[in-house]
Amino acid sequence: MVSEPSDHPDHHDRSGPLAGPLAAAGVSASARDQDESSRPAPASARVSAKLVVAGGLGVGKTTLIGAVSEIPPVSTDTWLTAASASVDPLDVGTGKTRTTVGMDFGRRTLPGGIQLMLFGTPGQARFRFLWDDLCRGALGALVLLDVRNLASSFDAIGFCEDAGLPYVAAVNLFDTAPHHPLTEVREAAQLPEGVPLIEVDARQRPSVVQALAATVEHTLTTLTTPAPTTALANSTATRSTAAGTYPGDRT
Amino acid sequence: MVMLSSDPLVRLYVLLDLPTGSSSTELAIHSLVSGRYEPITVAGLRLAPLADAVYRAACPGPVAVAEVAVAAGTTVAVARVVLADLIGRRLVRLRPAPPQFDRRLLEEVLDGLRAL
């Protein structure tokens, strides 16, 4: 009998009779213990890890989280009341009918037991003060780009740079968006050299999992090879006026 | 609903009628918490309705603070304050979080993602 991932078996708890209601699930927990007895208990058992999914409004953050989450992506307001949602200007023309107040999050229990939490950054600039909270303790960020509106993700890029949070940029492959070679996107977005740029289909789980793995891998790489000095990095303040336009579109 | 102004945390403590001694600062939104007792055991404690909802949401833990907030039907900010109080009363236990860029954790997350 193997427990479902969402059961969060309590089998590494050593605190005795106060182990909590899941102590009753002892059968499946010990089954797991046996399965894992051949290797040392992971440090990660009953540990959560957090990745941030960032990018402009309507760039596909909620879709991406929903593609891997084992719970429906939950939107929670954090500080403000739901009533304030009505003052958000909805982007006209993008067909977006729903906007995120506060943040979205999802969860995926990984083989090995880590609860990987995915948090989408709030789309609205006035929620930016929440980002510190979102990024605190995060393993890294995946910044989604919409090739039709690169500038909408510049805030997210600038924030990661300023916060020193390792991030990977990912072009979300919308069906309706024109295709640009990644070299052009990199130039147009003025991505710093060390930042990986990949493509992702936010609707497809394997693609999303790959993008998340690339994000974690990049953080591991930055631990080994210290990132170039942040002074060289493009923050929103230093981005040139050409940012957001493709090389071929410039006159 | 509550409108928050200059000092939201203090206002939350006052509005929730909680002692201000508990600190919610170490509670990240992804921090894991667990209830320490079966709900039935603390029935006699008569927790306030909100605290009770937060407590019950934490009981099947380990569960992330953000999920507790959603399950309890409140905001992360409020859940955090209530959880800090419950932790202070030793009704809820906080899982110690690993350091942010812990290589072993990163490697295990990467292995886990690749095994999905």
Side-chain angles (χ1 to χ4, degrees), chain A residues 17-251:
Chain A
L18 301 180
L22 282 187
V27 175
S28 58
S30 43
R32 276 184 64 111
D33 271 344
Q34 281 171 5
D35 290 344
E36 293 170 359
S37 60
S38 56
R39 50 185 188 144
S44 54
R46 313 194 45 179
V47 158
S48 63
K50 175 170 66 176
L51 286 175
V52 171
V53 181
L57 200 61
V59 78
K61 301 183 292 291
T62 309
T63 306
L64 183 139
I65 291 170
V68 286
S69 180
E70 65 208 359
I71 56 172
V74 191
S75 184
T76 171
D77 57 343
T78 48
W79 289 98
L80 302 173
T81 65
S84 64
S86 60
V87 304
D88 289 327
L90 278 170
D91 261 11
V92 180
T94 57
K96 189 170 166 61
T97 53
R98 180 176 157 261
T99 195
T100 301
V101 178
M103 63 192 184
D104 280 343
F105 74 88
R107 165 185 20 102
R108 180 85 208 180
T109 304
L110 301 176
I114 302 175
Q115 290 193 38
L116 180 62
M117 308 288 300
L118 300 172
F119 286 88
T121 56
Q124 305 91 331
R126 66 193 170 80
F127 286 115
R128 188 168 162 154
F129 67 98
L130 287 175
W131 289 20
D132 285 320
D133 198 23
L134 281 170
C135 294
R136 186 161 60 102
L139 303 187
L142 181 65
V143 178
L144 289 178
L145 304 174
D146 180 345
V147 291
R148 297 163 298 187
N149 189 4
L150 291 174
S152 74
S153 291
F154 287 173
D155 255 356
I157 292 172
F159 184 87
C160 292
E161 295 284 354
D162 294 345
L165 183 64
Y167 67 98
V168 166
V171 171
N172 188 10
L173 298 171
F174 289 95
D175 287 338
T176 49
H179 187 262
H180 291 275
L182 287 181
T183 48
E184 285 184 19
V185 175
R186 172 176 289 281
E187 190 182 333
Q190 297 187 0
L191 279 181
E193 210 169 288
V195 176
L197 175 64
I198 59 176
E199 290 178 328
V200 66
D201 185 333
R203 299 160 301 186
Q204 302 295 327
R205 203 182 81 149
S207 176
V208 171
V209 168
Q210 219 166 21
L212 296 176
T215 305
V216 176
E217 209 167 14
H218 176 59
T219 300
L220 272 167
T221 309
T222 58
L223 289 186
T224 320
T225 324
T229 54
T230 47
L232 295 174
N234 288 311
S235 76
T236 42
T238 59
R239 202 169 290 280
S240 87
T241 51
T245 58
Y246 291 92
D249 297 340
R250 289 175 200 153
T251 51

